[in-house]
Amino acid sequence: MSHYHYQYSLCSVPSWVIGSREFNANPTSLSVHGVRATHAHFFKQLDALSSWEERARIFQDYMEVAFHLHQWREKGNVGQLLSIKHSYLRFLRGWLFDADSVEGAVLKGWVQTRMGLPPIYHGGRINGRESKEYLSYMKDRMKGSARTNGIFNQLDLLYEFVQYEMKRRDPDTIHITLFRGVHGFYDHELLEWDKKTGKGVVRLNNLNSFTHDFERAWEFGTFVIEARVPVSKIFFDGAFLHAGILKGEEEVLVIGGVYDISRRII
């Protein structure tokens, strides 16, 4: 895409590397500058816990205290609703309902500011920064983050926790095969495509929904694409927090870029 411009990355890896096929083939770990150091005591606590249920609970408790989310709870039921409004949970739930929502724009904004990968889709294909789709995305992003207590900082810690948890569970796993149901397959930005083999190269949006379950992916589209996703590009996995949060969700949020994919049929 001629107008696609990588931006500054807040990781130790440049954005154009994070977004490349080469990175997906030989990934390294990614970390947002300063987050582990700022929350060093929290990660030390996690090291001492043997079960992931305990670690998920400690994560929830820590987020409440670190970002003062508990303060919104002190006025009964109204406070509980406010707590969600000011929480990373609101944005995850918003994404699950509609990736092109205000909450979806904020999550895409996190990827753009942290990984340096701008979105290529938000309610329509984004064709450059002057396009109405990009302006709509920026408007949604500003609206979503304006009244929320440090939402990008909350998402930093969510990402670092997910990465910690994945390495803790299975330090030898570098890639995970995931599936994505799509409508309008040819609406994707296909960089290479071989109809005979059903394999190709695609630039995915900067954040995308996948699932571990091939059968489940069919519920979300008329085509299913399969990708080998680096563990370091998994922003969120619904299975990790299902101690009372987003229970039963199997959605995996994957940081985008250029991917080798296969189109799968039943």
Side-chain angles (χ1 to χ4, degrees):
M1 191 192 283
S2 58
H3 63 262
Y4 192 83
H5 297 293
Y6 291 106
Q7 293 173 250
Y8 183 73
S9 159
L10 292 185
C11 300
S12 54
V13 179
S15 56
W16 59 268
V17 174
I18 296 172
S20 69
R21 286 174 80 186
E22 291 73 21
F23 180 87
N24 289 350
N26 297 289
T28 56
S29 60
L30 296 171
S31 190
V32 180
H33 287 319
V35 179
R36 292 281 179 121
T38 302
H39 303 283
H41 176 66
F42 164 66
F43 286 101
K44 203 170 177 183
Q45 272 186 297
L46 293 182
D47 288 341
L49 299 172
S50 56
S51 81
W52 74 267
E53 285 93 347
E54 285 181 294
R55 295 194 293 270
R57 195 183 69 251
I58 289 287
F59 170 72
Q60 292 165 49
D61 293 346
Y62 184 81
M63 289 289 267
E64 295 237 332
V65 174
F67 297 101
H68 309 292
L69 303 179
H70 59 296
Q71 290 180 5
W72 300 103
R73 287 227 172 115
E74 288 165 9
K75 295 172 185 169
N77 291 335
V78 175
Q80 288 207 358
L81 293 174
L82 277 171
S83 173
I84 291 293
K85 186 180 177 186
H86 287 263
S87 162
Y88 64 103
L89 293 174
R90 167 195 157 193
F91 294 86
L92 290 174
R93 286 172 177 162
W95 174 280
L96 295 177
F97 284 116
D98 179 10
D100 293 326
S101 60
V102 165
E103 292 82 5
V106 170
L107 295 189
K108 291 168 190 171
W110 180 86
V111 179
Q112 183 173 11
T113 57
R114 273 39 181 176
M115 305 286 169
L117 305 178
I120 59 172
Y121 193 95
H122 185 74
R125 178 71 70 87
I126 293 173
N127 292 308
R129 292 187 174 197
E130 305 302 317
S131 67
K132 69 175 178 25
E133 287 81 8
Y134 189 80
L135 296 174
S136 170
Y137 151 70
M138 287 302 293
K139 186 178 171 187
D140 282 351
R141 178 179 140 183
M142 288 169 69
K143 187 178 173 186
S145 54
R147 293 188 298 275
T148 306
N149 192 17
I151 185 56
F152 280 4
N153 295 329
Q154 291 185 46
L155 297 175
D156 288 342
L157 192 53
L158 174 66
Y159 171 72
E160 295 291 345
F161 172 70
V162 169
Q163 290 297 308
Y164 171 93
E165 188 64 36
M166 294 187 83
K167 287 193 184 76
R168 176 89 185 256
R169 289 182 187 200
D170 195 348
D172 297 326
T173 296
I174 298 168
H175 292 91
I176 295 176
T177 298
L178 296 173
F179 305 95
R180 173 172 165 79
V182 293
H183 293 288
F185 177 75
Y186 290 102
D187 293 343
H188 281 74
E189 191 189 342
L190 293 168
L191 305 177
E192 294 176 21
W193 182 244
D194 184 334
K195 270 189 173 178
K196 287 182 182 174
T197 62
K199 294 182 185 298
V201 180
V202 65
R203 189 191 302 281
L204 292 176
N205 205 2
N206 69 348
L207 193 64
N208 311 268
S209 291
F210 278 79
T211 177
H212 293 282
D213 185 348
F214 175 62
E215 299 297 332
R216 178 103 197 267
W218 284 104
E219 295 172 22
F220 299 99
T222 47
F223 297 97
V224 168
I225 61 174
E226 174 186 316
R228 228 168 131 249
V229 175
V231 164
S232 55
K233 289 178 87 169
I234 292 178
F235 168 66
F236 175 74
D237 187 330
F240 278 14
L241 295 185
H242 78 224
I245 295 184
L246 306 175
K247 198 163 186 178
E249 290 300 341
E250 294 167 21
E251 209 154 333
V252 183
L253 271 57
V254 170
I255 294 162
V258 178
Y259 278 79
D260 288 87
I261 59 156
S262 302
R263 191 173 72 180
R264 293 283 303 269
I265 55 174
I266 293 176

